Coordinates of all heavy atoms in Angstrom, one line a residue:
A240 N -3.0 -8.0 4.2 CA -3.4 -8.0 2.8 C -2.2 -8.3 1.9 O -2.3 -9.0 1.0 CB -4.0 -6.7 2.5
V241 N -1.0 -7.6 2.3 CA 0.2 -7.9 1.5 C 0.6 -9.3 1.6 O 1.0 -10.0 0.6 CB 1.3 -7.0 2.0 CG1 2.7 -7.3 1.4 CG2 1.0 -5.5 1.7
F242 N 0.5 -9.9 2.8 CA 0.9 -11.3 3.0 C 0.0 -12.2 2.1 O 0.5 -13.1 1.4 CB 0.7 -11.7 4.4 CG 0.7 -13.2 4.7 CD1 1.8 -13.9 4.5 CD2 -0.5 -13.8 5.1 CE1 1.7 -15.3 4.8 CE2 -0.6 -15.1 5.4 CZ 0.6 -15.9 5.2
L243 N -1.3 -12.0 2.1 CA -2.2 -12.9 1.4 C -2.1 -12.7 -0.1 O -2.1 -13.7 -0.9 CB -3.7 -12.6 1.8 CG -4.1 -12.9 3.2 CD1 -5.5 -12.4 3.5 CD2 -4.0 -14.4 3.4
V244 N -1.9 -11.5 -0.6 CA -1.6 -11.3 -2.1 C -0.4 -12.0 -2.5 O -0.3 -12.6 -3.6 CB -1.6 -9.8 -2.4 CG1 -1.2 -9.6 -3.8 CG2 -3.0 -9.2 -2.2
H245 N 0.7 -12.0 -1.7 CA 1.9 -12.7 -2.0 C 1.7 -14.2 -2.1 O 2.2 -14.8 -3.0 CB 3.0 -12.3 -1.0 CG 3.7 -11.0 -1.4 ND1 3.2 -9.8 -1.2 CD2 4.9 -10.8 -2.0 CE1 4.0 -8.9 -1.6 NE2 5.1 -9.5 -2.1
L246 N 1.0 -14.7 -1.2 CA 0.7 -16.2 -1.2 C 0.0 -16.5 -2.5 O 0.3 -17.6 -3.1 CB -0.2 -16.6 0.0 CG 0.4 -16.8 1.4 CD1 -0.7 -17.2 2.3 CD2 1.5 -17.8 1.3
A247 N -0.9 -15.7 -3.0 CA -1.6 -16.0 -4.2 C -0.8 -15.8 -5.5 O -1.0 -16.6 -6.4 CB -2.9 -15.2 -4.2
T248 N 0.0 -14.8 -5.5 CA 0.6 -14.4 -6.8 C 2.1 -14.5 -7.0 O 2.6 -14.3 -8.0 CB 0.2 -12.9 -7.2 OG1 0.7 -12.1 -6.1 CG2 -1.3 -12.7 -7.2
I249 N 2.8 -15.0 -5.9 CA 4.2 -15.3 -6.1 C 4.4 -16.3 -7.2 O 5.4 -16.1 -8.0 CB 4.8 -15.8 -4.8 CG1 5.1 -14.6 -3.8 CG2 6.1 -16.6 -5.0 CD1 5.6 -15.0 -2.5
P250 N 3.6 -17.3 -7.4 CA 3.9 -18.3 -8.5 C 3.6 -17.6 -9.9 O 4.0 -18.2 -10.9 CB 2.9 -19.4 -8.2 CG 2.5 -19.3 -6.8 CD 2.6 -17.8 -6.5
I251 N 2.9 -16.5 -10.0 CA 2.6 -15.9 -11.3 C 3.6 -14.8 -11.7 O 4.2 -14.9 -12.8 CB 1.2 -15.3 -11.2 CG1 0.1 -16.4 -10.8 CG2 0.8 -14.7 -12.6 CD1 -1.3 -15.8 -10.6
T252 N 3.8 -13.9 -10.8 CA 4.7 -12.8 -11.1 C 5.8 -12.5 -10.1 O 6.6 -11.6 -10.2 CB 3.9 -11.4 -11.2 OG1 3.3 -11.2 -9.9 CG2 2.8 -11.5 -12.3
G253 N 5.9 -13.3 -9.0 CA 6.8 -13.0 -7.9 C 6.1 -12.0 -7.0 O 6.7 -11.6 -6.0
T254 N 5.0 -11.5 -7.4 CA 4.2 -10.4 -6.7 C 5.0 -9.1 -6.7 O 5.9 -8.9 -6.0 CB 3.9 -10.8 -5.3 OG1 3.2 -12.1 -5.3 CG2 2.9 -9.8 -4.7
G255 N 4.5 -8.2 -7.5 CA 5.0 -6.8 -7.5 C 4.1 -6.0 -6.5 O 4.4 -5.8 -5.4
I256 N 3.0 -5.6 -7.0 CA 2.0 -4.7 -6.4 C 2.6 -3.5 -5.7 O 2.0 -2.8 -4.9 CB 1.1 -5.4 -5.3 CG1 1.9 -5.9 -4.1 CG2 0.3 -6.6 -6.0 CD1 1.0 -6.4 -3.0
N257 N 3.9 -3.2 -6.1 CA 4.6 -2.1 -5.6 C 5.7 -1.7 -6.6 O 6.7 -2.4 -6.7 CB 5.3 -2.5 -4.3 CG 6.1 -1.3 -3.6 OD1 6.5 -0.4 -4.3 ND2 6.2 -1.4 -2.3
P258 N 5.4 -0.7 -7.4 CA 6.3 -0.4 -8.5 C 7.8 0.0 -8.1 O 8.7 -0.3 -8.8 CB 5.7 0.9 -9.2 CG 4.2 0.7 -8.9 CD 4.2 0.1 -7.5
A259 N 7.9 0.6 -6.9 CA 9.2 0.9 -6.4 C 10.0 -0.4 -6.1 O 11.2 -0.5 -6.4 CB 9.1 1.7 -5.1
R260 N 9.3 -1.4 -5.5 CA 10.0 -2.7 -5.2 C 10.4 -3.3 -6.5 O 11.5 -3.9 -6.6 CB 9.0 -3.6 -4.4 CG 9.4 -5.0 -4.2 CD 8.7 -5.9 -5.3 NE 9.0 -7.3 -5.1 CZ 10.0 -8.0 -5.5 NH1 11.0 -7.4 -6.2 NH2 10.1 -9.3 -5.3
S261 N 9.6 -3.3 -7.5 CA 9.9 -4.0 -8.8 C 11.0 -3.2 -9.5 O 11.9 -3.9 -10.1 CB 8.6 -4.0 -9.7 OG 7.6 -4.8 -9.1
L262 N 10.9 -1.9 -9.6 CA 12.0 -1.2 -10.3 C 13.3 -1.2 -9.6 O 14.3 -1.4 -10.2 CB 11.5 0.3 -10.5 CG 12.5 1.2 -11.2 CD1 12.7 0.7 -12.7 CD2 12.0 2.6 -11.2
G263 N 13.3 -1.1 -8.3 CA 14.5 -1.2 -7.5 C 15.3 -2.5 -7.7 O 16.5 -2.5 -8.0
A264 N 14.5 -3.6 -7.7 CA 15.1 -4.9 -7.9 C 15.6 -5.0 -9.3 O 16.7 -5.6 -9.6 CB 14.1 -6.0 -7.5
A265 N 14.9 -4.5 -10.3 CA 15.2 -4.6 -11.7 C 16.5 -3.9 -12.0 O 17.4 -4.3 -12.7 CB 14.1 -4.2 -12.6
I266 N 16.6 -2.7 -11.4 CA 17.8 -1.8 -11.7 C 19.1 -2.5 -11.1 O 20.1 -2.6 -11.8 CB 17.6 -0.4 -11.0 CG1 16.6 0.4 -11.9 CG2 19.0 0.3 -11.0 CD1 16.3 1.7 -11.2
I267 N 19.0 -3.1 -9.9 CA 20.2 -3.7 -9.3 C 20.4 -5.1 -10.0 O 21.6 -5.4 -10.2 CB 20.0 -3.9 -7.8 CG1 19.8 -2.5 -7.2 CG2 21.2 -4.6 -7.2 CD1 20.9 -1.5 -7.4
F268 N 19.4 -5.8 -10.4 CA 19.6 -7.1 -11.1 C 20.1 -6.8 -12.5 O 21.1 -7.5 -12.9 CB 18.2 -7.8 -11.2 CG 18.2 -9.1 -11.9 CD1 19.1 -10.1 -11.5 CD2 17.3 -9.4 -12.9 CE1 19.1 -11.3 -12.2 CE2 17.3 -10.6 -13.6 CZ 18.2 -11.6 -13.2
N269 N 19.5 -5.9 -13.2 CA 20.0 -5.3 -14.5 C 20.3 -6.4 -15.5 O 21.4 -6.5 -16.1 CB 21.3 -4.5 -14.3 CG 21.6 -3.6 -15.4 OD1 20.7 -3.2 -16.2 ND2 22.9 -3.3 -15.7
Q270 N 19.3 -7.3 -15.7 CA 19.3 -8.2 -16.8 C 18.0 -8.2 -17.6 O 17.0 -7.7 -17.0 CB 19.6 -9.6 -16.3 CG 21.0 -9.8 -15.6 CD 21.2 -11.3 -15.2 OE1 20.6 -12.2 -15.7 NE2 22.1 -11.5 -14.3
D271 N 18.0 -8.7 -18.8 CA 16.8 -8.6 -19.6 C 15.6 -9.2 -19.0 O 14.5 -8.6 -19.1 CB 17.1 -9.3 -21.0 CG 18.0 -8.5 -21.9 OD1 18.3 -7.3 -21.6 OD2 18.6 -9.1 -22.8
R272 N 15.8 -10.2 -18.2 CA 14.6 -10.9 -17.6 C 13.9 -9.9 -16.6 O 12.7 -10.0 -16.4 CB 15.1 -12.2 -16.9 CG 13.9 -13.0 -16.3 CD 14.4 -14.3 -15.8 NE 15.4 -14.2 -14.8 CZ 15.7 -15.2 -14.0 NH1 15.1 -16.4 -14.0 NH2 16.7 -15.1 -13.1
G273 N 14.7 -9.1 -16.0 CA 14.1 -8.1 -15.0 C 13.4 -6.9 -15.7 O 12.6 -6.2 -15.1
W274 N 13.8 -6.7 -17.0 CA 13.2 -5.5 -17.7 C 12.1 -5.8 -18.7 O 11.3 -5.0 -18.9 CB 14.4 -4.8 -18.5 CG 15.4 -4.1 -17.6 CD1 16.7 -4.4 -17.5 CD2 15.2 -3.0 -16.8 NE1 17.3 -3.6 -16.6 CE2 16.4 -2.7 -16.2 CE3 14.0 -2.2 -16.5 CZ2 16.5 -1.6 -15.3 CZ3 14.2 -1.2 -15.6 CH2 15.4 -0.9 -15.0
N275 N 12.1 -7.1 -19.2 CA 11.1 -7.4 -20.2 C 9.7 -7.2 -19.8 O 8.8 -6.7 -20.6 CB 11.3 -8.9 -20.6 CG 12.6 -9.1 -21.4 OD1 13.2 -8.2 -21.9 ND2 13.1 -10.4 -21.4
D276 N 9.3 -7.5 -18.5 CA 7.9 -7.3 -18.1 C 7.8 -6.2 -17.1 O 6.7 -6.1 -16.4 CB 7.5 -8.6 -17.4 CG 7.6 -9.8 -18.3 OD1 7.3 -9.7 -19.5 OD2 7.9 -10.9 -17.8
Q277 N 8.7 -5.3 -17.1 CA 8.7 -4.2 -16.1 C 7.5 -3.3 -16.2 O 6.9 -2.9 -15.2 CB 10.0 -3.3 -16.2 CG 10.1 -2.2 -15.1 CD 10.2 -2.8 -13.7 OE1 9.8 -2.1 -12.8 NE2 10.7 -4.0 -13.6
W278 N 7.0 -3.1 -17.4 CA 5.8 -2.3 -17.6 C 4.6 -2.8 -16.9 O 3.7 -2.1 -16.4 CB 5.5 -2.1 -19.1 CG 5.1 -3.4 -19.8 CD1 5.9 -4.3 -20.4 CD2 3.7 -3.9 -19.9 NE1 5.1 -5.4 -20.9 CE2 3.8 -5.1 -20.6 CE3 2.5 -3.4 -19.6 CZ2 2.7 -5.9 -21.0 CZ3 1.3 -4.1 -19.9 CH2 1.5 -5.4 -20.6
I279 N 4.5 -4.2 -16.8 CA 3.4 -4.8 -16.1 C 3.3 -4.4 -14.6 O 2.2 -4.2 -14.0 CB 3.5 -6.3 -16.2 CG1 3.2 -6.8 -17.6 CG2 2.5 -7.0 -15.2 CD1 3.5 -8.3 -17.9

Side-chain angles (χ1 to χ4, degrees):
V241 171
F242 165 69
L243 292 174
V244 171
H245 275 76
L246 279 184
T248 60
I249 282 176
I251 304 174
T252 62
T254 309
I256 68 171
N257 184 330
R260 171 261 186 273
S261 299
L262 181 61
I266 288 175
I267 300 302
F268 180 53
N269 197 28
Q270 294 185 22
D271 289 343
R272 184 170 57 161
W274 290 115
N275 291 339
D276 301 326
Q277 184 63 209
W278 66 273
I279 291 174

